Coordinates of all heavy atoms in Angstrom, one line a residue:
K212 N -5.9 3.5 3.7 CA -5.2 4.7 3.3 C -4.4 5.3 4.5 O -3.2 5.7 4.3 CB -6.2 5.8 2.9 CG -6.8 5.7 1.5 CD -7.7 6.8 1.2 CE -7.1 8.2 1.2 NZ -8.0 9.3 0.9
A213 N -5.0 5.2 5.7 CA -4.3 5.8 6.8 C -3.0 5.0 7.1 O -1.9 5.6 7.4 CB -5.2 5.8 8.1
Q214 N -3.1 3.7 7.1 CA -1.9 2.9 7.3 C -0.8 3.2 6.3 O 0.4 3.4 6.6 CB -2.1 1.4 7.4 CG -0.9 0.7 8.0 CD -0.8 -0.8 7.6 OE1 -1.5 -1.3 6.8 NE2 0.2 -1.4 8.2
F215 N -1.2 3.1 5.0 CA -0.2 3.3 3.9 C 0.4 4.7 4.0 O 1.6 4.9 3.9 CB -0.9 3.1 2.6 CG 0.1 3.0 1.5 CD1 1.0 2.0 1.5 CD2 0.1 3.9 0.4 CE1 1.9 1.9 0.4 CE2 0.9 3.7 -0.7 CZ 1.9 2.7 -0.6
G216 N -0.4 5.7 4.3 CA 0.1 7.1 4.4 C 1.0 7.3 5.6 O 2.1 7.9 5.5
M217 N 0.7 6.7 6.7 CA 1.6 6.8 7.9 C 2.8 6.1 7.7 O 3.9 6.5 8.1 CB 0.8 6.4 9.2 CG -0.3 7.4 9.6 SD 0.2 9.1 9.8 CE 1.5 8.9 11.0
W218 N 2.8 4.9 7.1 CA 4.0 4.1 6.9 C 4.9 4.9 5.9 O 6.1 4.8 6.0 CB 3.7 2.7 6.3 CG 3.6 1.6 7.4 CD1 4.2 0.4 7.3 CD2 2.8 1.6 8.6 NE1 3.9 -0.3 8.4 CE2 3.1 0.4 9.2 CE3 2.0 2.6 9.2 CZ2 2.5 0.1 10.5 CZ3 1.4 2.2 10.5 CH2 1.7 1.0 11.1
A219 N 4.3 5.6 5.0 CA 5.1 6.4 4.1 C 5.8 7.6 4.9 O 7.0 7.9 4.7 CB 4.3 7.0 3.0
M220 N 5.1 8.2 5.8 CA 5.6 9.2 6.6 C 6.7 8.7 7.5 O 7.7 9.4 7.8 CB 4.5 9.8 7.5 CG 3.5 10.7 6.7 SD 4.2 12.2 6.1 CE 4.2 13.2 7.6
F221 N 6.6 7.5 8.0 CA 7.6 6.9 8.9 C 8.9 6.5 8.2 O 9.8 6.0 8.8 CB 7.0 5.6 9.6 CG 5.9 5.9 10.6 CD1 5.0 5.0 10.8 CD2 5.9 7.1 11.3 CE1 4.0 5.2 11.8 CE2 4.9 7.4 12.2 CZ 3.9 6.4 12.4
A222 N 9.0 6.7 6.9 CA 10.1 6.1 6.1 C 10.2 4.6 6.4 O 11.3 4.1 6.6 CB 11.4 6.9 6.4
S223 N 9.1 4.0 6.5 CA 9.1 2.6 6.8 C 9.3 1.7 5.6 O 8.9 2.0 4.5 CB 7.7 2.2 7.4 OG 7.4 0.8 7.4
P224 N 9.9 0.5 5.8 CA 9.8 -0.5 4.8 C 8.4 -0.7 4.4 O 7.5 -0.8 5.3 CB 10.5 -1.7 5.5 CG 11.3 -1.2 6.6 CD 10.6 0.1 7.0
L225 N 8.1 -0.9 3.1 CA 6.8 -1.1 2.7 C 6.7 -2.6 2.2 O 7.0 -2.9 1.0 CB 6.4 -0.2 1.5 CG 6.4 1.3 1.9 CD1 6.0 2.1 0.7 CD2 5.4 1.6 3.1
F226 N 6.3 -3.5 3.1 CA 6.1 -4.9 2.8 C 4.6 -5.3 2.8 O 4.0 -5.3 3.9 CB 6.9 -5.8 3.7 CG 8.4 -5.8 3.4 CD1 9.3 -5.0 4.1 CD2 8.9 -6.5 2.3 CE1 10.6 -4.9 3.7 CE2 10.2 -6.5 2.0 CZ 11.1 -5.7 2.7
M227 N 4.1 -5.5 1.7 CA 2.7 -5.9 1.6 C 2.6 -7.3 2.2 O 3.5 -8.1 2.0 CB 2.2 -6.0 0.1 CG 2.4 -4.7 -0.7 SD 2.0 -4.9 -2.4 CE 3.5 -5.9 -3.0
S228 N 1.5 -7.7 2.8 CA 1.2 -9.0 3.2 C -0.3 -9.3 2.9 O -1.2 -9.2 3.7 CB 1.5 -9.2 4.7 OG 1.5 -10.6 5.0
V229 N -0.5 -9.6 1.6 CA -1.9 -9.7 1.1 C -1.8 -10.7 -0.1 O -0.8 -10.9 -0.7 CB -2.4 -8.3 0.5 CG1 -1.4 -7.8 -0.5 CG2 -3.8 -8.4 0.0
D230 N -3.0 -11.4 -0.3 CA -3.0 -12.3 -1.4 C -3.2 -11.5 -2.7 O -4.3 -11.0 -3.0 CB -4.2 -13.3 -1.3 CG -4.1 -14.4 -2.2 OD1 -3.5 -14.3 -3.3 OD2 -4.7 -15.5 -2.0
L231 N -2.1 -11.3 -3.5 CA -2.2 -10.5 -4.7 C -3.0 -11.1 -5.8 O -3.3 -10.4 -6.7 CB -0.7 -10.2 -5.1 CG 0.1 -9.4 -4.2 CD1 1.6 -9.3 -4.7 CD2 -0.4 -7.9 -4.1
R232 N -3.3 -12.4 -5.6 CA -4.2 -13.1 -6.6 C -5.6 -12.6 -6.6 O -6.4 -12.8 -7.5 CB -4.0 -14.6 -6.5 CG -2.6 -15.1 -6.7 CD -2.5 -16.5 -6.2 NE -2.7 -16.7 -4.7 CZ -2.4 -17.7 -4.0 NH1 -1.8 -18.7 -4.6 NH2 -2.6 -17.8 -2.7
T233 N -6.0 -12.1 -5.4 CA -7.4 -11.8 -5.2 C -7.6 -10.4 -4.7 O -8.7 -10.0 -4.3 CB -8.1 -12.8 -4.2 OG1 -7.3 -12.7 -2.9 CG2 -8.0 -14.2 -4.7
I234 N -6.6 -9.5 -4.7 CA -6.6 -8.2 -4.1 C -7.6 -7.3 -4.9 O -7.8 -7.5 -6.1 CB -5.2 -7.5 -4.1 CG1 -5.2 -6.2 -3.3 CG2 -4.7 -7.3 -5.6 CD1 -3.8 -5.6 -3.1
T235 N -8.4 -6.5 -4.2 CA -9.3 -5.6 -4.8 C -8.6 -4.5 -5.5 O -7.5 -4.1 -5.2 CB -10.3 -5.0 -3.8 OG1 -9.6 -4.2 -2.9 CG2 -11.0 -6.1 -3.0
Q236 N -9.2 -3.9 -6.5 CA -8.7 -2.8 -7.2 C -8.5 -1.6 -6.3 O -7.6 -0.8 -6.4 CB -9.5 -2.4 -8.4 CG -8.9 -1.3 -9.3 CD -7.6 -1.8 -10.0 OE1 -7.5 -2.9 -10.5 NE2 -6.6 -1.0 -9.9
E237 N -9.5 -1.4 -5.4 CA -9.4 -0.3 -4.4 C -8.1 -0.4 -3.6 O -7.5 0.6 -3.4 CB -10.7 -0.4 -3.5 CG -10.9 0.7 -2.6 CD -12.2 0.6 -1.9 OE1 -12.3 -0.3 -1.0 OE2 -13.1 1.4 -2.1
A238 N -7.8 -1.6 -3.1 CA -6.6 -1.7 -2.3 C -5.4 -1.6 -3.1 O -4.4 -1.0 -2.7 CB -6.6 -3.1 -1.5
L239 N -5.4 -2.1 -4.3 CA -4.3 -2.0 -5.2 C -3.9 -0.6 -5.6 O -2.8 -0.2 -5.6 CB -4.5 -2.9 -6.5 CG -3.4 -3.0 -7.5 CD1 -2.2 -3.7 -6.8 CD2 -3.8 -3.8 -8.7
D240 N -5.0 0.2 -5.8 CA -4.8 1.6 -6.1 C -4.0 2.3 -4.9 O -3.2 3.2 -5.2 CB -6.1 2.3 -6.4 CG -6.7 1.9 -7.7 OD1 -5.9 1.3 -8.6 OD2 -7.9 2.1 -7.9
I241 N -4.4 2.0 -3.7 CA -3.7 2.6 -2.6 C -2.2 2.2 -2.6 O -1.3 3.0 -2.5 CB -4.3 2.1 -1.2 CG1 -5.7 2.7 -1.1 CG2 -3.4 2.5 -0.1 CD1 -6.5 2.1 0.1
L242 N -1.9 0.9 -2.8 CA -0.5 0.4 -2.8 C 0.3 0.9 -4.0 O 1.5 1.0 -3.9 CB -0.5 -1.1 -2.8 CG -1.0 -1.8 -1.5 CD1 -1.3 -3.3 -1.8 CD2 -0.1 -1.6 -0.4
K243 N -0.4 1.3 -5.0 CA 0.3 1.8 -6.2 C 0.4 3.3 -6.3 O 0.8 3.9 -7.4 CB -0.3 1.2 -7.5 CG -0.2 -0.3 -7.6 CD -0.9 -0.8 -8.9 CE -0.1 -0.4 -10.1 NZ -0.7 -1.0 -11.3
N244 N -0.1 4.0 -5.3 CA -0.1 5.5 -5.4 C 1.3 6.0 -5.4 O 2.0 6.0 -4.5 CB -0.9 6.1 -4.2 CG -1.2 7.5 -4.3 OD1 -0.3 8.4 -4.5 ND2 -2.4 7.9 -4.3
K245 N 1.7 6.5 -6.6 CA 3.1 7.0 -6.8 C 3.4 8.2 -6.0 O 4.6 8.3 -5.5 CB 3.3 7.3 -8.3 CG 3.2 6.1 -9.2 CD 3.4 6.6 -10.7 CE 3.3 5.4 -11.6 NZ 3.5 5.8 -13.0
N246 N 2.5 9.0 -5.7 CA 2.8 10.2 -4.9 C 3.1 9.8 -3.4 O 4.0 10.4 -2.8 CB 1.7 11.2 -4.9 CG 1.4 11.7 -6.3 OD1 2.3 11.9 -7.1 ND2 0.1 12.0 -6.6
V247 N 2.4 8.9 -2.9 CA 2.6 8.4 -1.5 C 3.9 7.6 -1.5 O 4.7 7.8 -0.5 CB 1.4 7.6 -1.0 CG1 1.7 7.1 0.4 CG2 0.1 8.4 -1.1
I248 N 4.2 6.8 -2.4 CA 5.4 6.1 -2.5 C 6.6 7.0 -2.5 O 7.6 6.8 -1.9 CB 5.4 5.1 -3.7 CG1 4.4 4.0 -3.5 CG2 6.8 4.5 -3.9 CD1 4.2 3.1 -4.7

């Protein structure tokens, strides 16, 4: 959460580097948070 939130604050490019075939729902929910995006 901290990395995703800070990268949003930095106006950073958001490039995931994760195996999306096995990603947990918990992590996916972070990456899909519309308010943070």
Side-chain angles (χ1 to χ4, degrees):
K212 281 181 60 179
Q214 192 203 7
F215 194 59
M217 290 307 299
W218 266 230
M220 290 289 286
F221 292 152
S223 164
L225 298 181
F226 283 99
M227 306 173 288
S228 193
V229 58
D230 192 339
L231 294 172
R232 299 165 297 194
T233 58
I234 191 172
T235 66
Q236 188 62 49
E237 188 176 66
L239 187 61
D240 288 344
I241 292 173
L242 292 167
K243 293 180 68 175
N244 190 302
K245 293 182 180 179
N246 297 325
V247 181
I248 292 172

